[in-house]
Amino acid sequence: MQVTETLKDGLKRAYTITVSAAELEAKVQEKLLEAQPEVEIKGFRKGKVPLAILKKQFGQRLMGDAMQDAIDGAMKEHFEKTGDRPALQPDVKMIGGETWKEGQDVVVEMAYEALPPIPELDASKIKLDRLSVKADEASVEEALKNLAATAQDFKDRKAGVKAKSGDQVTIDFKGSVDGVEFEGGSGEDYPLVLGSNSFIPGFEDQLVGAAAGDEVSVNVTFPEAYGAAHLAGKAAVFACTVKAVKKPVAAALDDELAKKFGAEDLAALKGQISERLEAEYKGASRAVLKRSLLDQLDGLVKFDLPPALVDAEAAQIAHQLWHEENPDVHDHNHGSVETTDEHKKLAERRVRLGLVLAEIGRKAEVTVSDAEMTQAVLAQARQYPGQERQYFEFVQKNPQMQQQLRAPIFEDKVVDHIVAGAKVTEKEVSKEELQKFIEALDEM
């Protein structure tokens, strides 16, 4: 077996792999000998079928297996010897594949782009601020009031007071199209919050200003895309009787409110809110720290990038952004999406950082444990209530999905490894200052 270099230009590599006819014949013979003890053919006892007959019956198939084994073995030996790691799957072509005949040498062309050597990173050159925010009393009180608003109740307004947006009106109604009442168009004692947009567009607006006891004719037009085809686009009149007008009243900030949200008392609820807020602040702070780290890495480590890898990443970015701009298209049956210089620039950053993090993780022997993967799958499965088992089975059978779940865990662990060697300054900031940092991330 012979491997000959035909191209070495930057990161581009090409080789010819020659497997002699004698080597192929030896491999076929080896496979026949391995299979012989288990083969049964009519007229022969198990394991006693002559090799010549085995070759006649199975030789063609075994020749293909032998070729593949020989080429795979040559490639593996080449990569172990050279230390090359292909950026993408090598392009392998058999020379004269259609005209090749048994007894001839097999010649294969192998081409790939090698991953570049990654310079060593001196983590001590990286300077980071770890922002921390305390959940102050004002923030806790604000969150508590928001909770109370979600648990609001409604109380009767004084007689004769007109309904405002946000009020709840209790109504009886009957709907008709062209003077004929339609099925499903009537109701009694229906509580409707004005401004909730839970009825046909324009319906609730016409009840603003009504008082208890008023009779109101509401004129609306059903949307063209309305679910009931016989009503879509039709003008309708609803005869409404307003039976009550109620104003929204936020729940009292007391122990009863706390119990509605599973806490023992108000003090315990405030403690839970404080913990939740600080967890949110911590997550936001980590996002800021991680962006700062990646920005510094992008500037500190420079090396040649595999063009094919950059092109593939740029194409993926362009495709993803195209779908974001065309949310109604859910399949891939559309024309090609052209990549721009902006796509390529972003792709270069992603590829560079991906290779750097992968290399640092490899040298630091960072791994993702089975337990961490299980937690990631569980978190994703919760998004499919009632189908958790099917999701687990899907992930188990799909290596690509496993990689998608493993990659962010690996990246975060590598980031933690780098941060451990960096110069990190603890910095306490206000909630507003942290928010400005987060907004700056969105603008980048």
Side-chain angles (χ1 to χ4, degrees):
M1 192 180 306
Q2 185 178 358
V3 179
T4 305
E5 183 178 87
T6 58
L7 175 66
K8 188 174 184 181
D9 181 13
L11 298 175
K12 293 182 179 180
R13 305 282 189 274
Y15 299 84
T16 58
I17 300 173
T18 303
V19 182
S20 70
E23 288 174 309
L24 278 178
E25 183 61 31
K27 280 192 171 292
V28 171
Q29 190 76 2
E30 182 184 324
K31 288 181 176 293
L32 289 172
L33 288 170
E34 287 176 1
Q36 189 179 38
E38 302 300 324
V39 176
E40 289 184 80
I41 294 180
K42 190 175 181 180
F44 299 93
R45 286 182 296 148
K46 181 180 179 180
K48 299 299 182 180
V49 182
L51 289 177
I53 294 176
L54 286 178
K55 184 176 181 181
K56 185 176 181 181
Q57 185 156 348
F58 303 110
Q60 197 66 32
R61 188 182 73 190
L62 291 178
M63 179 62 75
D65 292 344
M67 282 184 188
Q68 192 63 56
D69 286 353
I71 294 166
D72 288 346
M75 289 172 61
K76 181 180 179 183
E77 183 180 332
H78 164 75
F79 290 128
E80 288 176 350
K81 182 179 178 180
T82 62
D84 275 359
R85 289 179 292 154
L88 296 171
Q89 186 70 21
D91 181 23
V92 181
K93 297 178 182 177
M94 182 175 172
I95 304 301
E98 294 181 359
T99 59
W100 180 86
K101 295 179 181 178
E102 189 172 347
Q104 295 179 340
D105 294 348
V106 173
V107 181
V108 168
E109 284 185 345
M110 175 179 68
Y112 61 89
E113 288 180 356
L115 288 176
I118 310 297
E120 288 285 342
L121 171 72
D122 183 358
S124 65
K125 290 183 178 180
I126 296 176
K127 298 180 180 180
L128 301 167
D129 288 334
R130 183 183 281 116
L131 309 178
S132 63
V133 179
K134 298 295 183 184
D136 57 21
E137 188 65 27
S139 298
V140 173
E141 288 296 329
E142 181 183 353
L144 187 60
K145 288 177 181 177
N146 290 336
L147 275 182
T150 65
Q152 70 179 5
D153 197 0
F154 291 92
K155 292 187 177 181
D156 286 323
R157 287 194 178 276
K158 294 179 180 179
V161 173
K162 296 179 179 180
K164 302 176 182 178
S165 181
D167 284 356
Q168 183 191 78
V169 294
T170 304
I171 58 173
D172 293 343
F173 60 89
K174 288 183 180 179
S176 60
V177 172
D178 297 329
V180 179
E181 294 184 14
F182 55 88
E183 185 178 355
S186 62
E188 294 182 353
D189 295 325
Y190 189 92
L192 175 63
V193 177
L194 303 182
S196 63
N197 297 318
S198 54
F199 267 32
I200 305 165
F203 189 105
E204 296 164 24
D205 294 342
Q206 295 177 55
L207 292 174
V208 173
D214 286 353
E215 303 282 341
V216 181
S217 289
V218 174
N219 293 275
V220 293
T221 300
F222 284 96
E224 293 291 343
Y226 194 66
H230 66 291
L231 295 174
K234 297 286 181 67
V237 178
F238 285 84
C240 301
T241 300
V242 181
K243 302 174 77 172
V245 175
K246 299 182 179 184
K247 63 180 178 181
V249 179
L253 305 181
D254 55 19
D255 291 344
E256 289 304 312
L257 173 67
K259 290 174 183 177
K260 287 182 180 180
F261 290 97
E264 291 185 5
D265 52 30
L266 188 59
L269 180 59
K270 285 184 176 181
Q272 292 175 9
I273 291 173
S274 179
E275 290 176 4
R276 177 177 59 80
L277 287 175
E278 292 197 358
E280 290 177 2
Y281 297 152
K282 188 174 181 180
S285 173
R286 178 176 174 80
V288 173
L289 179 140
K290 183 176 178 180
R291 174 59 71 85
S292 176
L293 168 62
L294 295 178
D295 287 346
Q296 291 184 57
L297 279 180
D298 192 33
L300 281 173
V301 185
K302 297 295 183 183
F303 49 88
D304 291 335
L305 301 176
L309 204 57
V310 173
D311 290 344
E313 183 67 25
Q316 184 175 339
I317 291 169
H319 191 261
Q320 180 182 345
L321 292 175
W322 187 91
H323 274 282
E324 289 177 5
E325 294 168 0
N326 298 272
D328 296 334
V329 181
H330 301 291
D331 55 34
H332 302 291
N333 298 323
H334 53 74
S336 61
V337 181
E338 295 295 325
T339 57
T340 65
D341 290 342
E342 193 64 30
H343 296 147
K344 188 172 181 180
K345 184 178 178 181
L346 180 55
E348 288 174 348
R349 173 186 166 93
R350 287 188 181 180
V351 169
R352 182 181 299 107
L353 290 174
L355 292 176
V356 169
L357 294 175
E359 182 68 5
I360 293 172
R362 186 179 70 85
K363 289 182 177 179
E365 299 182 346
V366 174
T367 58
V368 178
S369 68
D370 290 342
E372 289 168 329
M373 275 296 292
T374 299
Q375 287 300 316
V377 176
L378 279 172
Q380 288 295 315
R382 292 191 191 99
Q383 298 182 21
Y384 307 94
Q387 297 180 310
E388 292 86 352
R389 183 181 181 84
Q390 292 93 319
Y391 182 80
F392 263 96
E393 292 174 352
F394 169 71
V395 172
Q396 287 176 340
K397 297 175 183 177
N398 193 321
Q400 186 177 1
M401 180 57 68
Q402 292 172 25
Q403 179 57 26
Q404 287 180 12
L405 294 172
R406 182 180 288 107
I409 304 173
F410 176 83
E411 181 177 292
D412 278 345
K413 294 182 77 170
V414 175
V415 166
D416 288 340
H417 172 76
I418 300 172
V419 170
K423 294 180 179 178
V424 181
T425 302
E426 302 293 336
K427 187 176 181 181
E428 189 169 328
V429 297
S430 68
K431 179 179 68 174
E432 291 73 22
E433 288 174 313
L434 178 60
Q435 183 60 37
K436 287 181 180 178
F437 280 111
I438 293 296
E439 290 171 356
L441 294 185
D442 294 336
E443 294 171 0
M444 293 180 181

